[in-house]
Amino acid sequence: MSEPFVRLENVRFAYGERAILRDISLSIPRGKVVAIMGGSGCGKTTLLRLIGGQERAVGGRVVVDGQDVAGLGREALYALRRRMGMLFQFGALFTDMTVFDNVAFPLREHTDLPPELIEDLVLLKLHAVGLRGAARLMPGELSGGMARRVALARTIALDPALLMYDEPFTGLDPISLGVIGQLIRRLNDALGASSVIVTHDIQESLQIVDYIYFISEGRVVAEGAPDEIRHTKDPFVHQFVHAEADGPVPFHYPAGDYAQALTGGRA
Amino acid sequence: MSRTTLDLWVGVFVAIGIAALLFLALKVGSISGSGIQSPYTLSAHFDNIGGLKVRAPVKSAGVLVGRVEEIRYNNERFQAEVVFTVDGRYKFPVDTFANILTSGLLGEQYIGLDPGGEEKNLAPGEVIKKTQSAVVLEKLISQFMFDKAADSEPAPAKK
Amino acid sequence: MGGVVRRLGAMVVNGVWQLGFAARFFWLILVYSGQSFTRLHLTIRELYFSGVLSLLIILVSGLFVGLVLGLQGYEILQRYGSTDAMGTMVALSLLRELGPVVAGLLFASRAGSAVTAEIGLMKVTEQLKAMDMMAVSPIARVVAPRFWGGVISMPLLAALFSAMGIFGGWLIGVVFIGVDDGAFWSQMQAAVDFRYDVMNGVLKSFVFGVAVALIAVFEGYDCVPTAEGVSRAITRTVVSSALAILALDFVMTSFMFRGL
């Protein structure tokens, strides 16, 4: 069990000329919940897409369960994805199906189980997220937090070995936020899975995760267990944890000298 | 909407769609009526085919018996060579006459077959020997005018 | 001057890229079609949305086009004393041109735009990505059924349009104006050739169906995943479908009907 479930080695990624990830090395051990943090737009979501094989790295290796994702063909990649579950930022529920059919979707697509068994499984998953009573509703009738929980039930429908969460806490009220946080932890332990959470919600993450990576400008700038993070002297992490406006992460987007811009270069 | 109602509607849609196709094929296009059965080809040479077109009708006694398939110029005979199909149910004697006729004064041109009296029938691929070219209206008119001019004292033509 | 040339160059390069993407996409649809035909109910569902729901507009438009053809045709034909040819005129213009073309245009704006909007919104809400992450190909599950739904619906809708139009022409000519019923049908039957007129019309509508369905699913799948991107994609679907139908119609007509 020493080999981590996911390992990234010196991964580089760019959209055309624009470099997103410059040099990322990190690992997600089996059975652990790992958070990846960083400011908005620093390439966190891209990391998940690399692990899921939806994007290919420009350099470096992405290894999931001993397999190099970039080297997999279509069939092998789909076989690997059946063992992954990804929770999208806004749930990405299929709006033309009921909650029940949404959760049943992966089961119906990938198994030949009889309808009665599928029904039992779906209700079991919905029960795990506390929404068994909402099975007949359409996604449009759910609140944001409920939709996220339904999506979570769908994500775990096939009992994946790796759970990926893309900004699971965004736009939720404090109660829903706490519910989702606890679910992530409980499901990880109950399924014996590994989890990776991409987020910028530091306070919630500190309570539930085992390890945290901080990413800035395409590099891992800090890492550690929650206790180390809380008491670190690292200026970047300090700014992040205490939500300071200015620090190593500048308030201003890089720009020319303001005084010069105002005077039009005449001064 | 439940699966069964949806299936029902789609079934109705496909059924009336196919019914419309059948209506177009049978009632409008009369798939059986104008169909030429087991056709065989014949050909004929004409000095002038006038305005005859590919797919023009071939008629005998006013009844449609075939269609023109191909028109080409024969550079050895300096004539037009017309290939046409004839319904396999109809046989024509070897001395059949092929004319290019016009339906009405300005109507489409077609090939008219006048059967002769021979016992032997034309075999598929054979050439009809006796043909008469299309009547070209301009020629008729100019001929008529020249005849008229010749009858009366001609005015001195200006050069 | 250099700017204009550069813009023209960029436009051409872009266009060729898009065409290449569309061709590759078409190939993928065909590859995944087998997979989606094993789930026939998905295609049946799309037949409902693009076929059944387009029925009303197709039938009503067909009827009105037929009525107008009847009136105009009578007005023109009576000058030459050949009102008996009315059936021929109505049937030929519908079967060869108006049926496939007008039904295709209506189909593009009624069903094509809906397909683009649906796929585009699924892309905006990350449903397509989610499906892909669940190891379900969105092309097999979402795109191919909508494509085939359109391809199957279109010839049926065009046939219904033509049949309805001929009925409209008959209504005006025979019922209201009093053209002889027998002459109307027999002249029509004598002039309309099954293979030449009916089948060519069906072939046209099938080609238009492929074009419109491909444009609709491609624009939806390829759209910029924002509200504005989806609305632009829908506009592009309607505009490019209309242009594609008219251009293809010209090309096909010049091949099919040049002998007469």
Side-chain angles (χ1 to χ4, degrees):
Chain A
M1 293 296 272
S2 59
E3 168 75 2
F5 196 78
V6 178
R7 201 174 70 241
L8 274 67
E9 296 168 0
N10 308 101
V11 168
R12 283 188 298 116
F13 184 78
Y15 281 116
E17 300 284 295
R18 202 158 58 90
I20 309 288
L21 303 174
R22 290 168 205 278
D23 180 15
I24 300 271
S25 296
L26 53 80
S27 57
I28 298 156
R30 285 166 203 268
K32 301 291 185 195
V33 180
V34 174
I36 296 172
M37 300 215 175
S40 306
C42 74
K44 292 171 303 195
T45 304
T46 309
L47 264 179
L48 291 187
R49 294 170 62 77
L50 285 169
I51 296 171
Q54 288 190 314
E55 303 280 0
R56 299 261 151 118
V58 176
R61 294 207 315 151
V62 179
V63 181
V64 178
D65 200 17
Q67 293 170 287
D68 188 344
V69 172
L72 293 177
R74 225 194 133 68
E75 293 296 317
L77 187 62
Y78 266 16
L80 183 63
R81 280 185 193 167
R82 264 172 235 171
R83 301 171 53 218
M84 297 179 177
M86 179 144 164
L87 182 68
F88 283 81
Q89 190 164 353
F90 296 106
L93 291 176
F94 303 129
T95 39
D96 56 340
M97 301 179 193
T98 63
V99 165
F100 181 92
D101 289 333
N102 260 287
V103 180
F105 181 85
L107 294 167
R108 286 180 181 149
E109 290 290 331
H110 293 309
T111 68
D112 291 321
L113 298 177
E116 308 82 49
L117 195 55
I118 286 186
E119 175 150 2
D120 290 346
L121 279 171
V122 170
L123 292 178
L124 184 75
K125 303 292 174 188
L126 279 173
H127 189 72
V129 297
L131 288 175
R132 194 161 47 85
R136 297 291 154 209
L137 296 181
M138 295 302 282
E141 301 170 273
L142 303 175
S143 71
M146 282 160 80
R148 203 88 45 103
R149 276 148 75 189
V150 172
L152 188 51
R154 186 180 67 182
T155 308
I156 59 169
L158 288 172
D159 295 335
L162 174 69
L163 284 159
M164 293 187 275
Y165 301 92
D166 187 7
E167 305 277 9
F169 305 122
T170 311
L172 293 184
D173 61 84
I175 299 173
S176 305
L177 202 148
V179 170
I180 295 278
Q182 289 311 310
L183 272 174
I184 290 174
R185 181 77 242 183
R186 282 221 321 267
L187 287 171
N188 187 71
D189 298 344
L191 294 170
S194 317
S195 300
V196 49
I197 307 173
V198 154
T199 180
H200 46 243
D201 192 307
I202 183 93
Q203 299 305 338
E204 189 60 37
S205 314
L206 282 174
Q207 293 172 33
I208 58 168
V209 303
D210 299 309
Y211 204 79
I212 300 176
Y213 287 95
F214 283 92
I215 292 177
S216 178
E217 288 174 5
R219 290 189 173 79
V220 175
V221 292
E223 58 183 285
D227 279 339
E228 297 165 34
I229 295 296
R230 281 197 192 93
H231 304 109
T232 185
K233 294 283 181 289
D234 186 286
F236 175 82
V237 176
H238 192 268
Q239 183 193 1
F240 209 101
V241 173
H242 298 280
E244 288 158 355
D246 214 349
V249 179
F251 171 70
H252 288 293
Y253 188 83
D257 185 53
Y258 189 44
Q260 201 182 4
L262 281 179
T263 54
R266 277 176 277 119
Chain B
M1 180 170 305
S2 80
R3 176 87 69 87
T4 44
T5 10
L6 198 139
D7 284 353
L8 179 71
W9 271 108
V10 172
V12 169
F13 165 61
V14 173
I16 63 168
I18 290 172
L21 277 173
L22 286 178
F23 166 75
L24 295 182
L26 299 175
K27 182 79 180 165
V28 178
S30 61
I31 188 170
S32 50
S34 74
I36 293 165
Q37 292 168 16
S38 53
Y40 63 98
T41 57
L42 294 174
S43 61
H45 297 281
F46 295 93
D47 290 331
N48 191 332
I49 58 163
L52 191 73
K53 297 270 172 25
V54 171
R55 292 187 45 75
V58 176
K59 293 180 179 179
S60 185
V63 178
L64 181 79
V65 295
R67 287 204 183 273
V68 174
E69 284 297 310
E70 196 184 347
I71 298 172
R72 56 177 174 245
Y73 186 66
N74 188 324
N75 208 183
E76 282 156 26
R77 307 169 60 128
F78 305 108
Q79 278 184 318
E81 189 177 342
V82 177
V83 181
F84 54 93
T85 60
V86 176
D87 193 312
R89 288 171 296 179
Y90 311 126
K91 300 285 179 222
F92 294 94
V94 284
D95 58 346
T96 295
F97 218 103
N99 306 300
I100 293 181
L101 303 169
T102 307
S103 57
L105 191 59
L106 298 168
E108 59 172 357
Q109 286 187 305
Y110 64 95
I111 294 184
L113 297 179
D114 282 333
E118 287 276 344
E119 296 269 310
K120 208 163 151 265
N121 283 337
L122 282 163
E126 260 190 275
V127 180
I128 294 179
K129 310 267 174 352
K130 299 177 172 179
T131 63
Q132 187 184 0
S133 292
V135 176
V136 179
L137 210 58
E138 295 96 303
K139 276 189 181 169
L140 264 185
I141 292 170
S142 60
Q143 213 169 6
F144 175 74
M145 301 232 305
F146 275 122
D147 288 353
K148 276 278 182 199
D151 284 355
S152 58
E153 201 60 34
K158 282 181 184 172
K159 282 269 167 154
Chain C
M1 184 61 200
V4 176
V5 175
R6 204 174 312 130
R7 278 241 296 280
L8 184 73
M11 254 170 62
V12 171
V13 170
N14 241 325
V16 173
W17 265 104
Q18 283 264 319
L19 213 64
F21 275 132
R24 212 177 81 94
F25 191 63
F26 186 38
W27 174 245
L28 280 178
I29 292 175
L30 296 183
V31 168
Y32 282 106
S33 288
Q35 208 177 329
S36 68
F37 278 147
T38 57
R39 298 285 187 76
L40 205 58
H41 73 267
L42 291 174
T43 306
I44 289 178
R45 190 171 163 278
E46 297 314 322
L47 267 176
Y48 178 81
F49 285 114
S50 51
V52 176
L53 295 184
S54 306
L55 265 183
L56 191 66
I57 187 169
I58 289 286
L59 291 179
V60 172
S61 313
L63 181 65
F64 275 103
V65 167
L67 294 175
V68 169
L69 274 178
L71 286 173
Q72 294 280 16
Y74 180 78
E75 206 271 327
I76 293 167
L77 288 173
Q78 68 155 353
R79 296 182 198 176
Y80 308 100
S82 46
T83 50
D84 285 353
M86 205 172 128
T88 309
M89 199 209 81
V90 171
L92 282 184
S93 39
L94 276 165
L95 287 173
R96 289 180 173 190
E97 292 296 333
L98 290 174
V101 171
V102 179
L105 294 175
L106 290 171
F107 181 71
S109 38
R110 168 67 187 76
S113 59
V115 164
T116 304
E118 203 184 1
I119 297 180
L121 280 175
M122 289 184 84
K123 186 173 182 183
V124 172
T125 52
E126 294 191 304
Q127 293 180 41
L128 297 180
K129 269 187 207 160
M131 212 173 261
D132 194 32
M133 271 309 294
M134 281 186 251
V136 176
S137 161
I139 293 183
R141 187 71 173 57
V142 175
V143 173
R146 282 166 177 75
F147 174 77
W148 287 112
V151 171
I152 298 169
S153 298
M154 186 53 220
L156 297 177
L157 289 172
L160 282 166
F161 187 95
S162 297
M164 208 61 194
I166 289 166
F167 171 71
W170 175 83
L171 215 58
I172 286 290
V174 176
V175 178
F176 290 107
I177 296 176
V179 175
D180 181 59
D181 191 37
F184 184 91
W185 291 112
S186 62
Q187 290 253 2
M188 187 191 290
Q189 284 171 6
V192 175
D193 184 74
F194 173 72
R195 194 178 57 81
Y196 195 64
D197 298 310
V198 180
M199 285 318 283
N200 275 346
V202 172
L203 183 63
K204 270 187 179 182
S205 60
F206 173 75
V207 172
F208 297 164
V210 172
V212 172
L214 182 64
I215 288 171
V217 292
F218 178 71
E219 290 292 355
Y221 199 78
D222 191 51
C223 77
V224 180
T226 59
E228 197 202 358
V230 174
S231 83
R232 274 169 187 240
I234 296 169
T235 311
R236 270 209 306 273
T237 293
V238 176
V239 173
S240 345
S241 296
L243 289 178
I245 287 173
L246 296 171
L248 283 171
D249 184 49
F250 171 72
V251 172
M252 289 169 77
T253 302
S254 66
F255 275 103
M256 289 171 170
F257 299 105
R258 104 190 122 165
L260 273 179

